Amino acid sequence: MLAVRDLAATRGGLRLIEGVSFDLLPGQALVLRGPNGIGKTTLLRTIAGLQPAAAGTVDLPPEGLAYAGHADGLKATLTVTENLTFWARIFGQSDIGNALEAMDLVQLADRPAQNLSAGQKRRLGLARLLVTGRRLWLLDEPTVSLDRASVALFATAVRAHLAAGGAALMATHIDLGLDDAGTLDLTPFRARFPAAGQGDGFDEAFA
Amino acid sequence: MSIWEYANPKKFMETSSWALPWVTGLAVASLLSGLIWGFFFTPDDYRQGSTVKIIYIHVPSAMMAINCWAMMLVTSLVWLIRRHHVSALAAKAAAPIGMTMTLIALFTGAIWGQPMWGTWWAWDPRLTAFLILFLFYLGYIALWGAVDDPDTAADLTSVLCLVGSVFALLSRYAVLFWNQGLHQGASLSLDKEEHVADVFAWPLWLSMAGFGLLFLTLVLFRTRTEIRARRLRALEARERMA
Amino acid sequence: MLALLLRDLRLATRAGGGFGLSLAFFLIVTVLVPFGVGPEGGTLAKIAPGILWVGALLACLLSLDRIFALDREDGSLDLLATAPIPMEGAVAVKALAHWLTTGLPLTLAAPVLGVLLNLPLPAFQPLLLSLLIGTPALSMIGTFGAALTVGLKRGGLLLSLLVLPLYIPTLIYGAEAARRGGEGLATATPLLMMAGITLGTIAILPFAAAAAIRVNLR
């Protein structure tokens, strides 16, 4: 479903990680690990196509993917239902009932997003994934500000997604209890700062 | 041997350091000879007196103000299409020079216009067009200054330069239309080329060449500075990573 | 696409959406002018088309930085960029939403303010027409400027600096149409020129703006 080959990602013109290769098949989940600043977010954004890859290729499923970053893309003055309906329609879907139920938002459906707690907002942001109808999920720290019960809720949703033939690539420090989730430690892929004459920087031409 | 070889910063630095003294010398020589010839060895105009001699600064600077934008347009396109850093940096280096040329043209025009038309400024189409060009330079330079990441800045300013060029042309024609609407046939005509006699023409050609070479000198010089600054930035980033 | 348009309209009309602010600004600017130039009807009638156009243009400028900045802050822009709608389309829809919430109300309010400024009677129709044709161009150009500056923390001032020179042709033809109408001259030429600019900007600028947004997101 997702094939990453020899990918190199840059932030602010600097190469952070390079040589990342992995495959993600339907039903699989892969957890990215590594210390802060190693480039987990950068890698996810590169795979999502938000920034160009410095090297390597990314093969995505033809219908695209669903990306969830640090921000949830919620509008404070819209209600939970309105927020969710909007994203469902952007992705060509219409049913949001399941997503509300799965993330335990039914009670809050008519509340404006500005009146939600941080954890509730996060749950709404994750419910957005369910209404995209995309098989591939890219998740950047999905469990931030979730309590224990909500994490379990989210883990259930991910399991259901995988069981339905979906796949998930996520950066997280919390063990979601996914049975056969693979782990990819990014530490070995940290870009060695390029010696003169190689790399993608502006100055290699001075070699 | 292709022209793109000079897009390599190293090659560019080598070639420009070799060429810079020659271009500088030529610029100084043609500027000095053109201006001295024009100022001291041409007769006064029978109608305009000695004020006409400002033409040797006014016309070449106005010409370079426009040519500079054209050069920025070309280098921006080269950056967007071929991603040569030197090209984007050359555009960045040229902008303040172009803006200065525009200012010189505006100021010398005002100084010339005062005794001729009795006013420092008139909303003549050509004057207005230059004022608008100045605003475009201002926005372009401000955008370069506002964006931190050099590649992002290069991309954004290049897009602005392309769109700006279209709108600059639109403004030029809109201003022509607008002024006719105001004045019902402009009484102030700036069509100088028509009545420039041969005695004035040769020094004018010389100082035009001088301004062109001066522009080239400054662009080369400033592009070298930009390349060095960019290289410094890359080295510093590397230090931080190591 | 329609969903995006409806959301933007809904956001603009909800509390804190800023709908009506530009309209109020337009009103205040127009009311201030007679205090500045004096209440004499002839003078006002002469400058009314220009004042109304400049006022509409400035009012339009006021709400530009909201177009993308809010979406970028809350992450919507990232999500939109990975959504299955093309960024060019999203940009065009956002420009349309800006026009519906700013340009159109300004156009409709202009005749009322024209009365305040003693606008000559035959100028009303060309003024209305020129605003109707011209304000979409203002929104589209402004959207392009907003796309250029979306990555900046405080891009508002820079946005004005970039956008205002681009407004010059539209302003010239727009005010000229209204002025000619007031003097009983033919208004077809400036109106057609302005229609050309509007159509051209709608055809080209979504691509330039989308490119700028992609650059700013990375």
Side-chain angles (χ1 to χ4, degrees), chain B residues 154-182:
Chain B
D155 280 333
L156 293 178
T157 51
S158 297
V159 173
L160 178 68
C161 186
L162 295 193
V163 173
S165 303
V166 176
F167 276 86
L169 275 180
L170 277 178
S171 306
R172 174 86 180 99
Y173 289 106
V175 162
L176 276 174
F177 175 84
W178 160 77
N179 191 275
Q180 277 178 0
L182 259 184

Side-chain angles (χ1 to χ4, degrees), chain B residues 79 83 132 135-136 138-140 142-143 146-149 151-153 155-157 159-160 163-164 166-168 170-171 173-175 177-178 180-182 184, chain C residues 141 144 147-149 152 158 161-162 165-170 172-173 176-177 179-180 183 185 189-190 193 197 201 204-205 208-209 211-213 215-216 218:
Chain B
W79 160 252
R83 315 297 291 178
I132 295 172
L135 296 180
F136 275 98
L138 216 59
Y140 180 87
L143 188 59
V147 184
D148 207 28
D149 181 68
D151 280 3
T152 306
D155 280 333
L156 293 178
T157 51
V159 173
L160 178 68
V163 173
V166 176
F167 276 86
L170 277 178
S171 306
Y173 289 106
V175 162
F177 175 84
W178 160 77
Q180 277 178 0
L182 259 184
Q184 305 295 338
Chain C
I141 297 168
F144 168 67
L148 277 180
T149 53
L152 303 172
L158 180 67
L161 188 62
L162 295 182
L166 301 178
Y167 277 173
I168 291 173
T170 316
I172 287 178
Y173 289 123
E176 189 66 24
R179 189 183 300 121
R180 288 191 174 195
E183 291 169 9
L185 302 169
T189 315
M193 293 299 278
I197 290 177
T201 54
I204 295 167
L205 285 185
I213 286 193
V215 169
N216 269 322
R218 68 176 188 227

Side-chain angles (χ1 to χ4, degrees), chain A residues 11-53:
Chain A
R11 186 177 60 212
L14 273 183
R15 192 179 276 217
L16 287 181
I17 41 178
E18 57 192 6
V20 179
S21 298
F22 62 84
D23 284 291
L24 202 57
L25 299 174
Q28 280 187 338
L30 185 64
V31 177
L32 299 175
R33 291 199 194 275
N36 286 340
I38 185 76
K40 295 188 288 290
T41 298
T42 308
L43 183 66
L44 283 172
R45 287 180 68 87
T46 307
I47 293 174
L50 287 170
Q51 53 186 67

Side-chain angles (χ1 to χ4, degrees), chain C residues 16-216:
Chain C
F19 179 73
L21 275 184
S22 352
L23 211 54
F25 178 83
F26 188 30
L27 173 74
I28 292 173
V29 165
T30 320
V31 169
L32 282 183
V33 169
F35 296 129
V37 301
E40 201 266 309
T43 318
L44 286 177
K46 211 169 177 183
I47 61 172
I51 296 301
L52 289 172
W53 252 95
V54 171
L57 187 146
L58 292 178
C60 192
L61 197 67
L62 213 58
S63 52
L64 284 181
D65 59 340
R66 302 178 69 94
I67 298 181
F68 293 117
L70 297 179
D71 274 348
R72 182 183 164 88
E73 269 167 33
D74 63 24
S76 301
L77 205 55
D78 280 347
L79 302 179
L80 274 177
T82 57
I85 58 172
M87 189 49 90
E88 286 79 4
V91 166
V93 165
K94 283 193 152 288
L96 176 62
H98 180 264
W99 181 70
L100 285 175
T101 53
T102 311
L104 191 59
L106 290 177
T107 305
L108 298 177
V112 182
L113 300 176
V115 175
L116 286 181
L117 289 181
N118 197 19
L119 187 73
L121 202 59
F124 275 88
Q125 194 205 353
L127 176 78
L128 201 63
L129 260 179
S130 70
L131 280 169
L132 201 62
I133 301 174
T135 44
L138 298 186
S139 287
M140 194 61 243
I141 297 168
T143 307
F144 168 67
L148 277 180
T149 53
V150 69
L152 303 172
K153 283 283 180 297
R154 271 174 289 278
L157 200 59
L158 180 67
L159 176 60
S160 316
L161 188 62
L162 295 182
V163 163
L164 283 176
L166 301 178
Y167 277 173
I168 291 173
T170 316
L171 172 64
I172 287 178
Y173 289 123
E176 189 66 24
R179 189 183 300 121
R180 288 191 174 195
E183 291 169 9
L185 302 169
T187 56
T189 315
L191 285 179
L192 284 176
M193 293 299 278
M194 197 165 58
I197 290 177
T198 303
L199 293 176
T201 54
I202 292 173
I204 295 167
L205 285 185
F207 296 94
I213 286 193
R214 284 196 204 97
V215 169
N216 269 322

Side-chain angles (χ1 to χ4, degrees), chain A residues 45 67 73-75 77 82, chain C residues 14 71 74 78-79 84 217:
Chain A
R45 287 180 68 87
Y67 168 80
L74 303 178
K75 290 297 173 190
T77 48
E82 283 170 336
Chain C
R14 289 266 160 100
D71 274 348
D74 63 24
D78 280 347
L79 302 179
L217 280 184

